[in-house]
Amino acid sequence: MLEEVERWLARRSWSAADRSLDRILAAKRGAGTTVSVVLPALNEEATVGAIVATIRRELMTDAVPLVDELVVLDSGSTDRTAVVAAAAGARVVHRDEVLPRLPALPGKGEVLWRSLLATEGDVVCFVDADLREFSADFVSGIVGPLLTEPDVHFVKAMYDRPLGEAVGQGGRVTELVARPLLNLHWPQLAGFVQPLGGEYAARRSLLERLPFPVGYGVELGLLVDALHTVGLDALAQVDVGVRKHRHQDGRALGRMAAAIYRTAQLRLARGHLVRPALTQFERTPEGFVPRTYAVDTEERPPMAGIPEYAQRHAA
């Protein structure tokens, strides 16, 4: 590990317990900073309500006014996600209602990108909507450094990720794809425990300057581009405990891995791209049948260049 990264780990890696809510709230009041929390959601009726209710109950009260805006960005759910989220107290926005002149592309990154136009906070905190046994520390922990440390611009959550009953065996794409890519090509980012984690917060002033891969590559793309935009010392991570969520099957992980590799390859070359397709095999009564899937190849430009956004946030 680079000496620079060892120093960064000592300086920019914290636990959620390192900052009390009183300290975070005092910093928020002193700076007049506003905080938006965004839950990107696709068919998450089983979990989204409990997450929203916890944030409302613990971080959006007169006594603890940490979160100013709580938005569930629905990316086309066919279940009761929107109904459950609204009943729990979130403002629900459908992906297609945001920037309707641009037809929506499928993918999580697309929803995160559009959320910048659907929210107003100076700090934007993203939380996946499939978390179980959710703790408010996932929000306060990663928002805290952005309120107490003026030179921090981007904060990732870190946590244990069990796979069923197996401790520490989650994050298979992280260990097999993302971590090797980062260590080989962006060794400054080798200190991030969960580089692909869906829980992170950042200053709007940074997010609006970054391109957003529309699909699975969004977390790696934002992390790499944030490094190049504001430097390693402006990035941080916070330990929030244990993350439990729904796990994808092996084929879905393969497609995720291909999209993440493509995102990395584009940032390495900004030129010739590998073939944007992935062939996998499924056993059928007739034997193994190939199935070919397109790999996410689209990226949305920095939101600061979108006329509707620029007009809304004009000084």
Side-chain angles (χ1 to χ4, degrees):
M1 183 176 288
L2 299 175
E3 290 185 8
E4 177 186 8
V5 177
E6 292 180 350
R7 292 193 298 270
W8 175 83
L9 278 169
R11 174 176 165 80
R12 293 302 193 207
S13 291
W14 295 291
S15 165
D18 290 338
R19 290 172 178 80
S20 68
L21 271 175
D22 287 343
R23 177 187 172 192
I24 294 170
L25 289 169
K28 181 178 188 289
R29 286 192 298 269
T33 306
T34 54
V35 176
S36 297
V37 174
V38 174
L39 276 66
L42 178 63
N43 296 329
E44 304 294 357
E45 67 172 314
T47 50
V48 69
I51 298 171
V52 170
T54 298
I55 295 171
R56 294 278 307 180
R57 182 178 63 251
E58 299 188 26
L59 302 177
M60 297 183 74
T61 65
D62 291 340
V64 186
L66 179 62
V67 174
D68 301 285
E69 184 178 34
L70 176 55
V71 175
V72 169
L73 229 304
D74 189 348
S75 58
S77 297
T78 56
D79 66 359
R80 299 177 65 253
T81 290
V83 173
V84 171
R91 177 164 66 91
V92 178
V93 179
H94 193 281
R95 173 197 62 196
D96 296 344
E97 298 172 357
V98 184
L99 210 58
R101 69 175 175 84
L102 290 181
L105 297 169
K108 177 185 178 183
E110 176 83 352
V111 175
L112 300 183
W113 182 72
R114 289 177 186 254
S115 76
L116 297 183
L117 194 55
T119 56
E120 298 292 339
D122 303 311
V123 168
V124 182
C125 174
F126 298 121
V127 176
D128 281 349
D130 66 343
L131 301 188
R132 296 182 287 107
E133 300 179 27
F134 175 76
S135 165
D137 286 348
F138 274 75
V139 174
S140 58
I142 59 178
V143 167
L146 294 165
L147 298 175
T148 62
E149 311 289 334
D151 48 353
V152 170
H153 290 258
F154 188 98
V155 182
K156 296 279 292 190
M158 57 178 167
Y159 32 65
D160 294 321
R161 293 185 66 182
L163 180 61
E165 299 302 318
V167 177
Q169 294 302 305
R172 291 160 288 173
V173 176
T174 293
E175 299 303 328
L176 296 175
V177 180
R179 199 176 309 286
L181 282 171
L182 293 175
N183 276 264
L184 289 169
H185 300 296
W186 295 281
Q188 286 179 297
L189 298 175
F192 277 93
V193 175
Q194 296 292 351
L196 299 185
E199 289 68 49
Y200 47 101
R203 300 190 190 279
R204 177 177 295 274
S205 57
L206 171 61
L207 291 172
E208 67 186 11
R209 296 158 60 195
L210 303 180
F212 277 61
V214 301
Y216 287 129
V218 63
E219 271 80 30
L220 184 131
L222 290 177
L223 186 59
V224 168
D225 292 341
L227 171 68
H228 291 307
T229 303
V230 294
L232 179 61
D233 199 53
L235 314 182
Q237 60 185 349
V238 175
D239 187 349
V240 296
V242 179
R243 184 185 197 267
K244 296 182 179 180
H245 66 114
R246 182 186 67 252
H247 291 281
Q248 309 237 27
D249 64 29
R251 284 190 291 272
L253 294 179
R255 297 190 290 275
M256 183 184 298
I260 290 166
Y261 175 78
R262 180 264 171 192
T263 300
Q265 194 268 348
L266 177 60
R267 278 152 179 76
L268 287 169
R270 295 291 179 185
H272 174 70
L273 295 181
V274 294
R275 176 174 173 262
L278 175 71
T279 298
Q280 298 176 314
F281 291 87
E282 299 177 15
R283 181 181 283 281
T284 70
E286 291 75 34
F288 286 103
V289 175
R291 311 286 190 196
T292 299
Y293 301 88
V295 173
D296 298 319
T297 59
E298 297 291 338
E299 296 201 3
R300 292 301 193 184
M303 185 58 83
I306 300 299
E308 292 91 335
Y309 185 86
Q311 182 178 7
R312 176 176 293 183
H313 292 271

